[in-house]
């Protein structure tokens, strides 16, 4: 994707939530930087501080962390028009425990936190935009937490496929298993056992 098209897509995305004047859209466009990633390439890794808000213009990414025995736990999978970050590291400016990795060729638009603080003053609508985004992210996180405590693995997989069919077909099964909190072997077993429900 060309950067000009990515900028246009990005400002259109913002405008689906809040109103932006043309001069505000131009200022916002001048405030972003780009990161181009290849599959398996990292945007940042554990130990670094997340200093940007990140919007996926094209491609697919995931965030994950490693346990002490190097087991991967995927926290977020994101595709076009999604935001992906370690929000805890961004807000606290503490080193991240997470890895942010591309799963496909990916173009990310980034806004540094210092620049974003300035934009909050110059474009008040950006305050509203990120407040709403963080609120919806918190709701989604709480829903996922409750599902993890009360829903069996296969039902979580069915819900994932129903809500994110466009993602499920693009992401390796071992990453989906990691996201659901199970093993690839168990997910494969459940998919075969309940194949009729998935067709």
């Amino acid at each position: 994707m060309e950067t000009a098209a990515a900028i246009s897509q990005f400002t259109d995305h913002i405008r689906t939530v809040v109103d932006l004047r043309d001069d505000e859209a131009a200022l916002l466009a001048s405030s972003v930087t780009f990161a181009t990633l290849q599959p398996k390439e990292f945007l940042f890794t554990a130990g670094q501080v997340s200093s940007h808000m990140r919007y996926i213009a094209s491609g697919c990414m995931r965030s994950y962390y490693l346990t002490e025995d190097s087991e991967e736990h995927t926290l977020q999978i994101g595709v076009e028009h999604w935001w992906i970050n370690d929000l805890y590291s961004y807000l606290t400016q503490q080193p991240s425990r997470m890895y942010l990795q591309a799963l496909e060729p990916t173009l990310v638009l980034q806004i540094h936190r210092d620049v974003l603080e300035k934009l909050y003053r110059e474009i008040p609508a950006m305050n509203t935009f990120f407040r709403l985004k963080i609120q919806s992210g918190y709701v989604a996180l709480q829903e996922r937490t409750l599902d993890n405590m009360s829903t069996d693995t296969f039902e979580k997989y069915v819900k994932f496929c129903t809500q994110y069919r466009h993602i499920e077909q693009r992401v390796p099964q071992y990453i989906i298993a990691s996201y659901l909190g199970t093993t690839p072997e168990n997910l494969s077993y459940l998919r075969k056992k309940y194949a009729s429900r998935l067709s």
Side-chain angles (χ1 to χ4, degrees):
M1 172 180 278
E2 296 292 334
T3 56
I7 287 288
S8 177
Q9 174 187 298
F10 176 63
T11 54
D12 287 346
H13 168 77
I14 302 292
R15 281 172 159 155
T16 63
V17 180
V18 295
D19 292 328
L20 284 181
R21 301 190 311 266
D22 287 345
D23 62 315
E24 293 174 330
L27 176 59
L28 179 60
S30 69
S31 302
V32 303
T33 58
F34 298 90
T36 303
L37 304 166
Q38 297 305 312
K40 298 186 178 182
E41 189 175 355
F42 292 97
L43 189 52
F44 72 79
T45 60
Q48 295 179 303
V49 174
S50 177
S51 296
H52 295 79
M53 294 298 281
R54 297 176 168 94
Y55 169 83
I56 303 173
S58 63
C60 181
M61 302 191 73
R62 69 163 173 156
S63 64
Y64 70 94
Y65 74 94
L66 296 175
T67 63
E68 290 183 0
D69 58 357
S70 298
E71 182 180 353
E72 294 181 5
H73 290 272
T74 298
L75 299 178
Q76 185 182 4
I77 300 169
V79 294
E80 293 86 2
H81 311 296
W82 288 36
W83 295 80
I84 190 166
N85 201 3
D86 178 350
L87 196 56
Y88 178 84
S89 176
Y90 177 87
L91 292 173
T92 65
Q93 289 296 279
Q94 297 298 310
S96 177
R97 296 175 56 197
M98 292 165 48
Y99 297 79
L100 196 57
Q101 182 185 42
L103 303 177
E104 299 174 352
T106 300
L107 177 63
V108 177
L109 277 67
Q110 304 185 112
I111 307 177
H112 192 277
R113 70 192 308 268
D114 294 340
V115 174
L116 187 55
E117 288 296 326
K118 185 178 179 183
L119 287 176
Y120 286 154
R121 296 188 296 272
E122 297 178 341
I123 310 175
M126 294 304 294
N127 264 308
T128 302
F129 177 85
F130 280 106
R131 175 175 56 81
L132 294 173
K133 282 294 176 183
I134 290 172
Q135 286 177 352
S136 64
Y138 179 81
V139 169
L141 175 62
Q142 181 169 301
E143 181 180 14
R144 183 178 172 203
T145 301
L146 292 173
D147 281 348
N148 283 342
M149 292 188 294
S150 61
T151 308
D152 66 52
T153 299
F154 183 72
E155 293 303 326
K156 286 190 289 186
Y157 178 66
V158 170
K159 184 175 182 179
F160 178 86
C161 291
T162 301
Q163 290 184 330
Y164 307 120
R165 192 68 186 176
H166 61 297
I167 297 177
E168 188 266 340
Q169 297 172 345
R170 295 167 63 176
V171 177
Q173 288 294 303
Y174 81 91
I175 291 178
I176 294 175
S178 169
Y179 179 81
L180 297 176
T182 190
T183 64
E185 294 78 15
N186 186 51
L187 182 58
S188 178
Y189 165 76
L190 292 172
R191 292 177 74 235
K192 290 176 183 176
K193 181 178 179 179
Y194 298 106
S196 61
R197 288 187 55 188
L198 297 172
S199 58

